[in-house]
C-alpha cells in the first residue's frame, strides 16, 4: 500500500543495465537518432494523431449528424462521449498489458477495433449502431498515448523524455487541428460517412505499420504477477498523494476535452453567431493553441525547475488561468473572441503535467500504472461532462435549431464550479500536508 507521504522517486537505473536505457540492446550498437525517429517515434505519434482526430471530429460533424439522424442535444452528447467511456474502462487492464507485452503490439491489436468502429459508424442507420461504433473507436484508440509513453521510456534516455513526450502530445494537437477546417473542407467532397470510411482505412494501415515497422525492445521482465500488479493499482488509488492533485487535474482535462471535442462548436454558432466555416476556423485556432500549450508548458516547467519552482506550481498556475478563461465563456462574454478561445486551448493543456508529476511521486516501477490510473478518471470525467453538458444545454432549445444562452451558462457554470471546488481542495490538502 502506498504511503500517505510522497514516496521518493526511484533512482534512474544505471546506463547499460535497464530496459529504460536505449543502449541496453543485446545485438550491437545503440540505435541511431534516425531509427528512433522513423521507426519508434513517428508510428506512435501517428497513432496519437488519429486518436485526437477521432476524439474531436464530432465538433465539426455535429450539424451533419443532427440533420441526417435527427439527434437532440442529449443524444449527440451521448453519441460523442461514449468514446470517453470505453476509453476509460480499458485503462487499468491496459496498464498491466503494457507492462507485460510489447506496447506496439498491444496498440496495433486495439487499433483493429478502432477501424471496425469507424467502419460501423460510416454505415450506421440508427443511433444504436452509431453509439456502438463510437464505443469501439474509444476502446480501439485507448492505448495510443499510454503505449507511446511506455515505449519512449524503453528507447529514449531519461533526460530526453520531457521533450519527446511533449512532441507526441503535439501530434495529438495536430489531430485536433485536422478535425476542424480540413474536415469541413472534406465535407465538400464527401459526406460524414465517407470521412469515417476513410478513417477506417487509415487506422488499418497504421496498425500494420506498428506491427511491421516498430522494432521489439529486449524484455525487462513482467513486473510481477497479475496479483502483485493489481495491488500496485490499489496502492495508487488509496494514496493521499494521488488524491491531492488528481481532482483538479482530472476536472480540468475532462472539461477541456468535453468542450473542445464537441460543445465549443455549438457555442460559437449559437452565442458567437458564427456560420459553419467560421466555426471550423475558430476550432482550428483553438487546436493550434492546444498544440502550442503542449510544446511550451512542459518546457517552461523544466526551465523553471532550475530556479527552484516545482512543476506542480506551473501546472496549478496554468489551470487557474484556464478557470478564469472558462468564466468568460460560461457567462457568454467570450462570444467569438478568438484570443479567449485560443487561451482556452493553450492553458487547458496545463493539467497534462500531472502525469509526469505523479509518476515521479511514486516508485519507478509503478509509473505506467500511475498514468493509466489517472487517465481512467480523466476519461470517465470527460464522458460524464460531455454527456451532461448536452443534457443541460438541451433544456433551453431555440426554434431555429440552436440552443439558448441560459443553457450554456448553466452547463458551463456548473462545470466551472466543480473545478473551483477541486482547486480549493488542492490548496487545503497542500496546506495540511496531505
Amino acid at each position: 500500500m502506498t504511503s500517505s507521504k510522497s514516496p521518493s522517486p526511484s533512482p534512474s537505473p544505471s546506463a547499460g543495465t535497464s530496459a529504460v536505457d536505449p543502449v541496453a540492446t543485446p545485438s550491437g550498437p545503440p540505435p541511431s537518432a534516425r531509427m528512433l525517429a522513423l521507426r519508434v517515434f513517428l508510428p506512435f505519434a501517428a497513432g496519437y494523431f488519429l486518436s485526437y482526430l477521432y476524439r474531436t471530429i464530432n465538433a465539426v460533424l455535429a450539424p451533419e449528424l443532427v440533420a441526417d439522424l435527427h439527434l437532440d442535444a442529449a443524444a449527440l452528447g451521448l453519441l460523442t462521449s461514449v468514446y470517453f467511456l470505453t476509453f476509460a474502462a480499458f485503462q487499468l487492464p491496459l496498464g498491466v498489458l503494457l507492462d507485460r507485452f510489447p506496447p506496439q503490439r498491444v496498440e496495433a491489436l486495439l487499433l483493429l477495433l478502432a477501424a471496425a468502429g469507424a467502419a460501423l459508424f460510416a454505415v450506421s442507420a440508427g443511433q444504436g449502431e452509431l453509439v456502438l461504433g463510437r464505443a469501439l473507436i474509444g476502446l480501439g484508440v485507448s492505448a495510443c498515448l499510454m503505449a507511446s509513453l511506455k515505449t519512449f521510456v524503453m528507447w529514449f534516455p531519461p533526460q530526453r523524455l520531457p521533450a519527446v513526450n511533449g512532441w507526441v502530445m503535439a501530434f495529438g494537437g495536430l489531430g485536433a487541428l485536422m478535425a476542424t477546417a480540413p474536415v469541413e473542407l472534406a465535407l465538400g467532397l464527401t459526406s460524414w460517412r465517407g470521412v469515417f470510411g476513410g478513417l477506417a482505412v487509415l487506422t488499418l494501415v497504421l496498425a500494420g505499420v506498428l506491427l511491421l515497422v516498430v522494432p521489439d525492445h529486449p524484455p525487462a521482465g513482467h513486473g510481477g504477477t497479475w496479483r502483485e500488479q493489481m495491488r500496485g493499482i490499489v496502492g495508487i488509488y488509496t494514496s493521499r498523494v494521488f488524491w491531492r492533485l488528481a481532482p483538479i487535474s482530472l476536472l480540468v482535462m475532462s472539461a477541456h476535452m468535453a468542450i473542445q471535442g464537441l460543445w465549443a462548436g455549438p457555442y460559437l454558432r449559437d452565442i458567437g453567431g458564427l456560420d459553419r466555416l467560421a466555426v471550423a476556423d475558430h476550432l482550428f485556432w483553438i487546436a493550434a493553441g492546444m498544440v502550442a500549450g503542449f510544446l511550451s508548458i512542459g518546457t517552461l516547467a523544466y526551465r523553471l525547475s532550475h530556479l527552484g519552482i516545482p512543476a506542480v506550481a506551473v501546472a496549478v498556475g496554468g489551470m487557474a488561468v484556464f478557470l478564469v478563461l472558462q468564466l468568460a465563456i460560461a457567462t457568454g462574454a467570450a462570444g467569438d473572441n478568438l484570443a479567449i478561445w485560443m487561451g482556452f486551448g493553450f492553458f487547458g493543456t496545463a493539467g497534462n503535467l500531472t502525469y509526469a508529476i505523479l509518476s515521479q511521486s511514486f516508485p519507478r516501477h509503478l509509473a505506467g500504472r500511475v498514468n493509466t490510473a489517472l487517465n481512467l478518471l480523466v476519461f470517465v470525467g470527460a464522458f460524464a461532462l460531455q454527456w451532461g453538458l448536452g443534457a443541460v444545454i438541451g433544456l433551453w432549445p431555440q426554434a431555429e435549431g440552436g440552443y439558448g444562452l441560459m443553457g450554456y451558462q448553466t452547463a458551463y457554470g456548473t462545470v466551472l464550479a466543480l473545478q473551483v471546488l477541486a482547486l480549493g481542495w488542492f490548496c487545503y490538502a497542500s496546506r495540511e500536508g496531505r
Side-chain angles (χ1 to χ4, degrees):
M1 193 72 71
T2 306
S3 168
S4 62
K5 296 184 178 180
S6 175
S8 300
S10 297
S12 301
S14 59
T17 62
S18 166
V20 299
D21 188 344
V23 303
T25 58
S27 56
S32 67
R34 179 186 294 269
M35 189 282 282
L36 288 175
L38 295 179
R39 298 188 61 193
V40 177
F41 177 81
L42 283 179
F44 283 102
Y48 196 48
F49 173 93
L50 268 181
S51 173
Y52 236 105
L53 175 57
Y54 277 125
R55 184 185 304 176
T56 57
I57 195 170
N58 279 7
V60 168
L61 296 183
E64 301 283 337
L65 295 171
V66 170
D68 284 0
L69 301 164
H70 309 291
L71 304 176
D72 60 20
L76 180 61
L78 173 62
L79 169 62
T80 304
S81 63
V82 73
Y83 167 105
F84 295 122
L85 183 63
T86 53
F87 192 114
F90 199 64
Q91 288 303 296
L92 295 186
L94 173 64
V96 175
L97 290 173
L98 291 176
D99 281 341
R100 298 179 70 89
F101 302 105
Q104 72 271 20
R105 298 185 190 180
V106 175
E107 181 173 341
L109 291 175
L110 287 171
L111 283 177
L112 296 180
L113 295 178
L120 176 60
F121 200 96
V123 300
S124 294
Q127 184 177 340
E129 292 173 331
L130 287 168
V131 169
L132 177 58
R134 184 76 174 166
L136 285 172
I137 291 171
L139 176 60
V141 300
S142 62
C144 288
L145 179 60
M146 296 294 105
S148 301
L149 300 183
K150 172 70 175 182
T151 299
F152 297 161
V153 165
M154 296 190 294
W155 283 104
F156 290 90
Q159 65 271 21
R160 294 188 62 187
L161 288 177
V164 175
N165 289 350
W167 276 102
V168 80
M169 289 182 180
F171 267 79
L174 292 177
L177 283 173
M178 184 61 66
T180 59
V183 169
E184 183 68 39
L185 292 175
L187 290 174
L189 303 174
T190 184
S191 67
W192 63 269
R193 297 184 186 275
V195 170
F196 271 93
L199 286 175
V201 174
L202 287 176
T203 306
L204 279 175
V205 170
L206 180 58
V209 169
L210 285 165
L211 288 174
L212 298 175
V213 173
V214 178
D216 283 334
H217 194 281
H222 295 303
T225 65
W226 290 95
R227 179 174 295 181
E228 289 169 342
Q229 292 186 341
M230 293 308 297
R231 278 204 297 265
I233 294 172
V234 172
I236 292 165
Y237 278 132
T238 55
S239 167
R240 292 182 178 179
V241 173
F242 182 86
W243 288 110
R244 178 172 65 98
L245 189 55
I248 179 60
S249 302
L250 76 90
L251 282 169
V252 162
M253 287 188 278
S254 298
H256 188 234
M257 288 190 288
I259 295 171
Q260 182 183 356
L262 179 61
W263 293 112
Y267 179 102
L268 289 167
R269 177 196 66 200
D270 299 333
I271 308 304
L274 302 181
D275 61 24
R276 285 189 54 174
L277 186 58
V279 167
D281 287 340
H282 269 62
L283 292 175
F284 178 91
W285 288 110
I286 295 170
M290 183 178 68
V291 172
F294 281 137
L295 289 175
S296 58
I297 289 181
T299 301
L300 176 65
Y302 172 74
R303 294 186 181 279
L304 290 179
S305 68
H306 294 298
L307 302 177
I309 300 175
V312 67
V314 178
V316 174
M319 289 188 283
V321 175
F322 181 66
L323 266 60
V324 173
L325 293 169
Q326 284 181 84
L327 179 61
I329 296 171
T331 59
D336 65 345
N337 188 303
L338 187 57
I340 292 176
W341 281 104
M342 287 186 69
F344 175 91
F346 183 94
F347 287 102
T349 66
N352 287 273
L353 285 176
T354 307
Y355 291 106
I357 294 167
L358 287 178
S359 66
Q360 294 176 42
S361 300
F362 288 83
R364 189 181 184 89
H365 69 276
L366 288 174
R369 277 162 282 174
V370 170
N371 284 336
T372 52
L374 178 61
N375 224 30
L376 165 63
L377 299 179
V378 169
F379 279 84
V380 168
F383 164 76
L385 293 186
Q386 198 167 77
W387 187 9
L389 282 167
V392 175
I393 290 169
L395 295 176
W396 285 271
Q398 293 179 338
E400 57 270 26
Y403 304 101
L405 176 60
M406 181 61 71
Y408 288 105
Q409 288 179 330
T410 304
Y412 284 39
T414 301
V415 171
L416 176 59
L418 291 173
Q419 294 169 78
V420 171
L421 289 174
L423 180 60
W425 162 253
F426 169 81
C427 295
Y428 169 77
S430 298
R431 188 178 67 249
E432 295 297 317
R434 297 192 178 192

